[in-house]
Amino acid sequence: MAEQNSTKMVGKQSIVFANPPMILAGSSIAGKKEGEGPLGHLFDTVQEDPMVGKKTWEEAESELMKEAATKVLEKAGLKNSDIRYLIGGDLLGQLIATSFGVADLNIPTLGIYGACSTMGEAMLLASILVDGGFADRVMAITSSHFAGAEKQFRFPLDYGNQRPFSATWTVTGSGAVIIVNPDLHKPNPGEKAIVVKGVTVGRIVDYGLKDSMNMGACMAPAAFETISANLEDMNVSPDYYDRIITGDLGYVGKKILIDLLKEKNIDISNNHMDCGIEIFDKDKQDTHAGGSGCGCSAITFTAYVMKQLREGAWKRVLFVPTGALLSQVSFNEGKTVPGIAHAVVVEAV
Amino acid sequence: MAEQNSTKMVGKQSIVFANPPMILAGSSIAGKKEGEGPLGHLFDTVQEDPMVGKKTWEEAESELMKEAATKVLEKAGLKNSDIRYLIGGDLLGQLIATSFGVADLNIPTLGIYGACSTMGEAMLLASILVDGGFADRVMAITSSHFAGAEKQFRFPLDYGNQRPFSATWTVTGSGAVIIVNPDLHKPNPGEKAIVVKGVTVGRIVDYGLKDSMNMGACMAPAAFETISANLEDMNVSPDYYDRIITGDLGYVGKKILIDLLKEKNIDISNNHMDCGIEIFDKDKQDTHAGGSGCGCSAITFTAYVMKQLREGAWKRVLFVPTGALLSQVSFNEGKTVPGIAHAVVVEAV
């Protein structure tokens, strides 16, 4: 046991898996605006109705999650009873999108919250459960909804508030992956297997920023610390990864992240990508600083990043969803907005 | 790997650990009312000031969490840098009590949410990380605060609303445990070691109840399903455990739980205990249905259950924190209140 430990724990906060768990399938359910963006043609489903046939924004988000879960099971050729555990979360207080979205699946469930870093946390915990031999198949799922998030964190939509240029646009969408024991499943013929080689659990990083309309700046320091820790723990340089993919820093946060890393003589300017920047067209869609939300990195990963890996365009990426740890209460009480970022090392093999 | 799997996964949703992780230490920080209750003399600290010297209820709760973390490190003889990961959560939207409570510890952190079942989820994930060889020492921590929870879920305190008899009183307090690799630590001389032998991850259970003032009834079906699953997966009868300890069903939920189990010919009436019932004096403290909140099961476990195990009064317990999955938004939108319960098998060895 002691020896086994030493091979899995790497550096201060990272893990390398003995038998890297496989991401068997991923699903992406996107909203209308996301469907009109540069990745629109890659999503499994584009939901044209922002209410998804429901009566409230929250129910609509739960429905997106239900669709993502159903789709990923279908793509994996599995039934809900084949999934031992489900790990999921969202941005709404007390995770109501998740609770009402996944309850019908009847899968033992672990609720998690890492703001927009939640997909990273879900994937890392799912991989730990599989690699540790505690489960053969685990679903990781997250969602966000533009209107539900505005209501939760900012202003009622009817108020028509003006958004500063540093603000990001919460992605409407839900993404899910099924992570499995690689001894039990094979990838589709002709496709590469996508595996999780390791993870880095992030710390809560607080640089004292208080602007909930500039979450990129609040989260960039957390991405900086987690990426630095990953490179150090794994003892690799940035070019070890074909892409270092942050969740939703947007244009403002991306610049800060690259600058912070440069001060440590780490240059990721050539291989950095941000899901919040990829998902919307800067010129045509005018979302200001880019996209954000638990759903942003989730559907960009499942629709675009997994495709690039499967087709061999990229061999290895560091997926780093980033979260801003605020609530309307903490914001109104004048608290800072700390950030957190979790990293997942994903490889095509 | 495949063989290792088959020994750890038990039944449909349970895990038995190969090398049971040890609960090295536990801490309990309680509020004034809790300090005046039957367990008052057992808590590490009783905080007489409900504001804990802070300006808001939320900051007060964060401070309780900080005290619980500091105390458990002190009792374990460890520094924060000795803890590889921290797993924590609370009842407030977006886990702000946790984010602001534990940030200064600078430990890589995984935020989780299972309503009042959160301590069960934290302990089960911490045990998985340790048993799987992903960490040597993990802190599991939760908190709740009466005033913060009333503000979050019900009415402003100043409103002076009348509480129905089925309502529980949210416990003000924070509890933490440090779960470690048993090969690296010994219990104190003369004391029994307390280990986590296994866990059962709960499903979301929704019987269609909608009354947020009767959470015992909302959670009892989840406790019923998780306890049934644990007994079935582990292939044991209720008397295998000296106590089956639910989190915060209170008097109403306890009766429902015992009745539901009796319909399946499972009788736990002789060895069932509920933290929400133990923590307050029914006659003198008038909390109606009992105590509740993430802090309720956490401090009852660390102050009372661990003592009973350490001193040999009990040999083996099933600890089943129970959560009601609602938010003020889901409640106001007329949604049901689903429940969830996670079980942890704890033994003195």
Side-chain angles (χ1 to χ4, degrees):
Chain A
M1 198 68 190
E3 287 146 41
Q4 194 181 37
N5 281 4
S6 61
T7 62
K8 288 185 184 178
M9 289 185 249
V10 178
K12 283 189 183 158
Q13 60 204 85
S14 301
I15 291 167
V16 169
F17 294 117
N19 188 24
M22 182 164 79
I23 305 177
L24 183 62
S27 67
S28 52
I29 313 296
K32 182 165 181 283
K33 190 183 182 85
E34 293 70 23
E36 291 162 357
L39 308 180
H41 60 293
L42 299 175
F43 299 126
D44 291 321
T45 305
V46 174
Q47 252 297 350
E48 299 286 329
D49 173 14
M51 299 300 283
V52 203
K54 297 289 168 179
K55 285 183 186 163
T56 69
W57 301 123
E58 293 77 17
E59 285 181 348
E61 187 176 336
S62 291
E63 195 62 23
L64 293 175
M65 206 177 242
K66 200 174 289 185
E67 289 182 13
T70 307
K71 178 62 78 177
V72 78
L73 286 169
E74 177 195 317
K75 288 173 81 172
L78 295 171
K79 300 184 303 293
N80 50 352
S81 57
D82 294 323
I83 307 298
R84 195 162 175 95
Y85 301 120
L86 180 149
I87 302 176
D90 60 89
L91 297 177
L92 302 180
Q94 290 80 38
L95 305 188
I96 51 170
T98 305
S99 300
F100 292 101
V102 306
D104 287 348
L105 292 171
N106 205 27
I107 300 170
T109 294
L110 296 161
I112 59 167
Y113 182 77
C116 306
S117 75
T118 303
M119 193 60 179
E121 184 176 344
M123 285 172 60
L124 81 81
L125 282 172
S127 302
I128 282 169
L129 282 165
V130 170
D131 184 67
F134 304 107
D136 281 332
R137 296 171 202 93
V138 179
M139 187 186 297
I141 187 167
T142 66
S143 66
S144 55
H145 191 297
F146 170 73
E150 289 295 304
K151 172 179 162 183
Q152 172 75 91
F153 293 100
R154 296 179 192 94
F155 297 100
L157 288 186
D158 299 355
Y159 182 69
N161 68 297
Q162 209 166 13
R163 303 168 59 249
F165 283 112
S166 59
T168 47
W169 187 277
T170 305
V171 161
T172 298
S174 175
V177 294
I178 293 175
I179 296 184
V180 302
N181 179 339
D183 301 336
L184 301 181
H185 291 272
K186 296 272 160 272
N188 289 332
E191 281 182 353
K192 286 185 184 291
I194 301 177
V195 300
V196 179
K197 295 283 267 207
V199 300
T200 301
V201 181
R203 298 169 202 267
I204 299 173
V205 179
D206 190 348
Y207 275 27
L209 294 161
K210 294 190 174 185
D211 186 356
S212 76
M213 292 288 192
N214 188 355
M215 294 199 301
C218 298
M219 296 186 292
F224 160 66
E225 295 223 2
T226 297
I227 293 168
S228 305
N230 177 272
L231 297 174
E232 196 179 318
D233 287 350
M234 303 290 185
N235 194 24
V236 295
S237 58
D239 59 10
Y240 177 70
Y241 300 109
D242 292 308
R243 288 289 184 285
I244 293 176
I245 304 169
T246 47
D248 51 1
L249 296 182
Y251 296 96
V252 177
K254 178 188 175 87
K255 186 172 179 330
I256 298 171
L257 170 64
I258 287 175
D259 288 350
L260 284 169
L261 284 166
K262 273 203 180 139
E263 285 175 22
K264 271 186 94 170
N265 290 317
I266 299 170
D267 184 1
I268 65 162
S269 57
N270 289 324
N271 57 347
H272 176 253
M273 175 191 126
D274 184 70
C275 299
I277 291 176
E278 298 298 318
I279 201 164
F280 293 122
D281 187 300
K282 190 175 203 269
D283 299 319
K284 292 184 197 151
Q285 295 191 289
D286 187 29
T287 57
H288 294 359
S292 61
C294 291
C296 175
S297 59
I299 64 175
T300 303
F301 181 83
T302 51
Y304 178 53
V305 178
M306 283 182 67
K307 179 175 178 287
Q308 295 291 92
L309 289 164
R310 236 189 252 293
E311 294 177 355
W314 302 333
K315 160 88 180 134
R316 185 190 297 120
V317 303
L318 185 66
F319 180 52
V320 194
T322 41
L325 300 170
L326 80 157
S327 77
Q328 76 275 47
V329 175
S330 72
F331 178 75
N332 287 334
E333 289 177 351
K335 303 287 282 184
T336 57
V337 182
I340 193 161
H342 300 294
V344 186
V345 180
V346 186
E347 252 186 60
V349 292
Chain B
M1 196 70 191
E3 286 146 41
Q4 195 180 37
N5 282 3
S6 59
T7 63
K8 288 183 183 179
M9 288 185 250
V10 179
K12 282 190 185 159
Q13 60 203 87
S14 301
I15 291 167
V16 169
F17 295 117
N19 188 23
M22 183 164 76
I23 305 178
L24 183 62
S27 67
S28 51
I29 314 295
K32 183 166 182 283
K33 189 181 183 86
E34 292 69 24
E36 291 162 356
L39 309 180
H41 60 293
L42 300 176
F43 299 126
D44 291 322
T45 305
V46 174
Q47 253 296 352
E48 298 287 328
D49 174 12
M51 298 299 283
V52 204
K54 297 290 167 180
K55 285 182 187 163
T56 68
W57 301 123
E58 292 77 16
E59 285 182 346
E61 187 177 336
S62 291
E63 196 61 23
L64 293 175
M65 206 177 241
K66 201 175 287 185
E67 289 183 12
T70 307
K71 178 61 79 179
V72 78
L73 286 169
E74 179 195 315
K75 289 173 81 174
L78 295 171
K79 300 185 302 292
N80 50 351
S81 56
D82 295 323
I83 308 297
R84 195 162 174 95
Y85 300 120
L86 181 149
I87 302 175
D90 61 87
L91 297 177
L92 302 179
Q94 290 79 36
L95 306 187
I96 52 170
T98 305
S99 300
F100 292 101
V102 307
D104 287 349
L105 292 170
N106 205 28
I107 300 169
T109 294
L110 296 162
I112 59 168
Y113 183 77
C116 306
S117 76
T118 304
M119 194 61 178
E121 183 177 344
M123 286 172 61
L124 81 81
L125 282 171
S127 303
I128 283 168
L129 282 165
V130 170
D131 184 67
F134 304 107
D136 281 333
R137 297 173 202 92
V138 180
M139 187 186 296
I141 187 167
T142 65
S143 66
S144 54
H145 191 298
F146 170 73
E150 289 295 304
K151 173 179 160 183
Q152 172 75 90
F153 292 101
R154 295 177 194 96
F155 297 100
L157 288 184
D158 299 357
Y159 182 68
N161 68 299
Q162 209 165 13
R163 303 168 59 249
F165 283 111
S166 59
T168 47
W169 187 277
T170 306
V171 161
T172 298
S174 176
V177 295
I178 294 175
I179 296 184
V180 302
N181 179 338
D183 300 336
L184 301 180
H185 292 272
K186 296 271 158 274
N188 289 331
E191 279 182 357
K192 285 185 186 293
I194 301 177
V195 300
V196 179
K197 294 285 268 212
V199 299
T200 301
V201 180
R203 298 169 202 265
I204 299 173
V205 179
D206 190 348
Y207 275 26
L209 293 160
K210 293 189 173 188
D211 186 357
S212 77
M213 292 290 193
N214 189 355
M215 295 199 300
C218 298
M219 297 185 291
F224 160 66
E225 295 223 1
T226 298
I227 293 168
S228 305
N230 177 273
L231 297 174
E232 195 179 320
D233 287 351
M234 303 291 187
N235 194 22
V236 295
S237 57
D239 59 8
Y240 178 71
Y241 300 109
D242 291 309
R243 289 289 183 285
I244 293 175
I245 304 170
T246 47
D248 50 1
L249 296 182
Y251 296 97
V252 177
K254 178 189 176 85
K255 186 174 181 326
I256 297 171
L257 170 64
I258 287 175
D259 287 351
L260 284 170
L261 284 166
K262 274 204 179 139
E263 285 175 20
K264 270 186 94 169
N265 290 317
I266 299 170
D267 183 2
I268 66 163
S269 57
N270 288 324
N271 57 346
H272 176 252
M273 175 191 126
D274 184 71
C275 299
I277 291 175
E278 299 297 318
I279 201 163
F280 293 123
D281 187 301
K282 189 174 203 269
D283 300 320
K284 292 182 195 153
Q285 294 190 290
D286 187 26
T287 57
H288 294 357
S292 61
C294 291
C296 175
S297 59
I299 65 175
T300 303
F301 181 84
T302 52
Y304 177 54
V305 179
M306 283 181 66
K307 179 174 178 287
Q308 295 291 91
L309 289 165
R310 237 189 252 294
E311 295 177 353
W314 301 333
K315 161 88 179 132
R316 184 189 298 119
V317 304
L318 186 66
F319 180 52
V320 194
T322 40
L325 300 171
L326 80 159
S327 77
Q328 75 276 46
V329 175
S330 71
F331 177 75
N332 287 334
E333 289 178 350
K335 302 286 284 183
T336 56
V337 182
I340 193 162
H342 300 294
V344 186
V345 180
V346 186
E347 253 186 58
V349 291

